[in-house]
Amino acid sequence: MELLPVELLRLIFECCDAVSIRTLRLVSSYLANIGYEYLLPPHFAAVEWRDDVKTLHSIASHERLRSSIRSITFNFSKVDEYNARHASFFQHWLQEPEERNIILQDAWIRYYELEERSRNLPLFHARSAMLEESFKRLSNLKELEITYTKCPYDIEVLKEVFLVRNCRKRDRAQACKNMNAMVSAIRHVRLSSLSIDQLPLEIFRLADDRRHWFDCARSFASLSRLDLVLDPPTTLLPQARARSINGLGHVLQFSPNLTHLYLGVHNYQSPLEKFRLSFYELLGDFTYEKLTDLKLEGFTLEEEDLRSFLVRHAKTLERLRLGGRGLAKPHELSIGGVHLHRGTFRSLFTSLQGKLPVLKRFHLEGDIEAGDIRTSSRELYKFHAVTDDNWDRVATRSSARKTIDCLALEKYLLEGGSYPSLGVSGQ
């Protein structure tokens, strides 16, 4: 086997699973040397119930293994036990009582065992120095995901309940500390992609946190993709809100080379409520010169402000998504739409027709509303998804009879013609 070309041996290693790779490396020192770089997968997933900070540090300290890591996911998700227990019971309601009890009992016993492990570990933010040291050595790290919404346990019962928003536990103070530790480490690498699915908005309000993010976010210049889902606090007074938006805007402007931008809001206290945003307040006249893909979710905007933002990116914008699933439960209609508190969507789309010359795809999803609730001209529609975020077709949900799709609007924006009739509005 050692007589085979190195390229062919590498191809063999690429086709092997983890166990087979280790076995094949035991055949000879020659194969062990070639198979070294295949010992670790390129993606590293860190959870809080394992000492993954120490594991990552050990990998980063190894001269040959450190180059294997190209992407990392840090999962800080926690279970709200009270809501999760109720949800899991009703999700298995149709099973025989004895079978249901065995499944749930086994799941929760495993959960408590894992949580006991996590209680014996230091808090994540307390190991910021170790994390920074690790990131300094991970020269091939390009993609980073920070999640608070994905199940961190390989337990099927908990994976099911994690799809329900109120089964996820949130600790805003701890989340801010973790995010500050993460951004300290990020400054030592040159990422191409960063995703945060629950970023406390108030982190941009306090002076020390703002200054820390501004200092560290300078490394964001290497980013080509940025996905940020904001989590606004229950109470945010006008002055604090303006300061938070201003801070967020400064961070966004440290990423001038973005080609893909996803900006959304998930309001856990009021999932249907939209967050009022002005692009002028957020970014001023700043323009992403390379932006090809844009997704906005969960905002209420002004027509003129949104139009101005889109038109100044017209030279590069190829794909536009307004709205998304939001915090909808698995069998609910999408609730992450976009509203206009001033202006109308008909006026917006009519004015954009022909103004986005390189636009190739357009998508609407969720509750789309505009106009004064007291007038008959109010627009109120519910759109179901036609494609996912990767623009692959998705199956139509059984509730689609209550919703409409955006294909006619997409055709209008891309090809022109008469403004489409959107059918019966979701009033």
Side-chain angles (χ1 to χ4, degrees), residues 119-133:
R119 282 191 282 271
N120 295 325
L121 297 174
L123 293 174
F124 179 83
H125 71 273
R127 310 172 87 179
S128 177
M130 181 181 288
L131 187 67
E132 286 192 58
E133 188 177 342

Side-chain angles (χ1 to χ4, degrees), residues 194-219:
L194 174 62
S195 172
I196 307 174
D197 64 13
Q198 192 173 312
L199 178 63
L201 183 59
E202 65 270 25
I203 203 168
F204 300 110
R205 176 175 60 87
L206 300 176
D208 289 343
D209 289 343
R210 282 167 60 93
R211 193 179 304 111
H212 180 62
W213 274 75
F214 294 169
D215 290 341
C216 297
R218 300 182 190 280
S219 63

Side-chain angles (χ1 to χ4, degrees), residues 353-423:
Q353 204 286 310
K355 299 289 182 61
L356 304 175
V358 298
L359 190 69
K360 298 176 181 177
R361 299 300 307 270
F362 172 73
H363 191 270
L364 277 174
E365 183 181 358
D367 48 323
I368 304 298
E369 300 183 18
D372 193 328
I373 194 172
R374 296 166 295 183
T375 65
S376 59
S377 61
R378 178 171 171 78
E379 295 174 309
L380 175 56
Y381 296 99
K382 297 184 185 298
F383 286 86
H384 61 257
V386 177
T387 65
D388 60 19
D389 285 349
N390 295 318
W391 299 97
D392 296 322
R393 295 281 297 191
V394 297
T396 303
R397 293 174 175 270
S398 59
S399 57
R401 64 183 183 275
K402 303 176 184 178
T403 60
I404 56 178
D405 64 50
C406 63
L407 295 177
L409 269 174
E410 181 182 37
K411 184 177 180 180
Y412 172 74
L413 281 176
L414 300 183
E415 302 176 11
S418 302
Y419 190 81
S421 171
L422 298 179

